[in-house]
Amino acid sequence: MSIFLSNEIIVFLLIEVILIVLMAISQVNIVSIVRHWDFDATTPLQYALEKKNYLINTILYFTVTCKVILFLFFIQSLNALSGIVPGAMCSAGVVGANHYGNALLLLKLLLIFGFGLWLIVNKLDLASILFPYLKRKYLLFTFLFVGVLGEFVLEILYFSNIPLTVPVFCCSVVFQAPKLPFGYTQTLLVLFFYTLFGVIVLFNTLKQTMASFTCNLLFLFIAYYAITYFFGLYVYEMPNHKCPYCMLQKEYYYIGYFIWGSLFLGIFFGIMPFLIERITQKSYVYLLKYSSFCLTITALICSFYVVRYYLMTGVFL
Amino acid sequence: MSKIAIQNLNKLYNPNKPNAFYALKNINLSIEESEIVILKGVSGSGKSTLLSLLGGLSKPSSGEILVDAHNIAKLPDIMSSAFRHQKIGFIFQSFNLLEGLSVYQNILAPLALTKLGKEAMHEKVSLAMELANIEHKKDQKVGSLSGGERQRCAIARAVVMEPEIILADEPTANLDKENSLMFIKILKKFKALHKTVVIATHDTLFDELSCINRCVQMRDGELVL
């Protein structure tokens, strides 16, 4: 059986192809809009471009929103595929089935952030009569479109290289000591997690967009390891279950969606004000409040599991 | 400065197709504040197209439509809607009323998008009904009104936002003589309120009216000088 025949993959790739076709059509039109755009002109060409611009905006708004939703479906599909990939107990086994999986996931996450940025710039552009960010917005989309094409190639490579006869490794069979970045210990990792969280909240409160941008990117990296190699153990209540995906399952009350969702949203709101300032010269510092709020939720949920485990057993894992 | 200034306006339907045709050709027209202007011409001469462009209901193919020195043809859709809501009162030939609602509710509809309180809304609706002489029918569903009453309801709805500009497309086409004369009376009230009014019509009733400032003739999408 080919993995391309599974329902999830058929639906996922079909939607991906439709969205890519829509984006490609938009991209062709974007070139003509950007080349001939002169907002002060009242010529037939300019009016035609303005109409075309509305159409392209609508298509892009739809496709970009769909891509964000499709990311959730992709995560869900990985989980469903664990049923047909031998040895896989959850998404961890499916993602790690070949070396394209993690790269694809990282690219998807970066593109989601990029789409979010595009939606905000688009909103600012449409809110103004003069379309001041039209060229920058379309330039940003062009980069995203290249990313989407690369993502599609990676998806095909990834899906076609998932072995269906050879068992894959999964979190359930990983019983070695955790491999942490730079040889960190768990204690150091947790210390970094809370320190960086505190620093981000401080910078967010002081509305330091550049500092917040830098710290949030660093926090994404630290938080991934901290959740997978420390907090996750308390969620699963098992000292060797180091998996970022199992917590997305029903057995753990889907808590992973809240942990990862609030983390990614917090990071998104934390890095956006700096990027928006660079592109539009407009202040969007109010997003930093949402960043602090979301990251606090992440930290609270993670801490809750540690405290609960300690109160129940009197020991740490 | 003119209230409305139209410069080199063109409207091409079905561009790049065999059945492409110009509904408006190189229109240049200025309308001053408080002026009442009649656009005259036979069916297909471009009157309604010009009105819809003036009201921001559609976009031109080229040229400018300046209202208070702002080119409304360049407004994004959302701002175009806001412009219509605040500055334009439109009286349609077929009235375009909400059939299931009462006269009062129809007139209230444009105010629902504002942040006015109930009292202020009621006051505005009452004034509009009084101006259009439709107060006595306020609780009646518009489906049960006569043609003249429906039109007076449409007029009240058009003026309830107190727009500076009122556009009317063939306002007397569906009315008998008596109701047409009633419309003329309301038109005189507009004049007293210093509204800028543009009426597209081929009704000869408007030919000799003292309240009319100008009559502009249109033929085949062009202004006839």
Side-chain angles (χ1 to χ4, degrees), chain A residues 38-39 41-44 46-47 50-51 54 126-129 131, chain B residues 11 59-65 71 73-79:
Chain A
D38 174 12
F39 188 71
T42 55
T43 59
Q46 178 57 24
Y47 278 116
E50 284 172 24
K51 278 186 183 174
Y54 284 121
L126 295 181
S128 170
I129 296 175
F131 299 100
Chain B
K11 178 68 181 176
K59 303 267 181 194
S61 302
S62 63
E64 292 181 346
I65 306 163
N71 188 0
K74 289 282 186 177
L75 289 177
D77 278 357
I78 191 158
M79 291 180 193

Side-chain angles (χ1 to χ4, degrees), chain B residues 37-39 47-48 51 54 88-93 151 155 158 165-172 183 187 190 196-201 206:
Chain B
V37 175
I38 302 291
L39 298 175
K47 307 185 298 290
S48 296
L51 272 197
L54 279 178
I88 305 280
F90 216 114
I91 302 164
F92 299 92
Q93 183 178 352
Q151 201 220 31
I155 291 169
I165 300 166
I166 294 167
L167 307 174
D169 191 7
E170 300 285 3
T172 55
F183 178 78
L187 194 59
F190 288 162
T196 306
V197 184
V198 184
I199 301 169
T201 185
F206 294 91

Side-chain angles (χ1 to χ4, degrees), chain A residues 167-183:
Chain A
V168 297
F169 286 102
C170 193
C171 55
S172 59
V173 294
V174 180
F175 282 99
Q176 314 98 312
K179 286 177 192 165
L180 295 175
F182 310 120

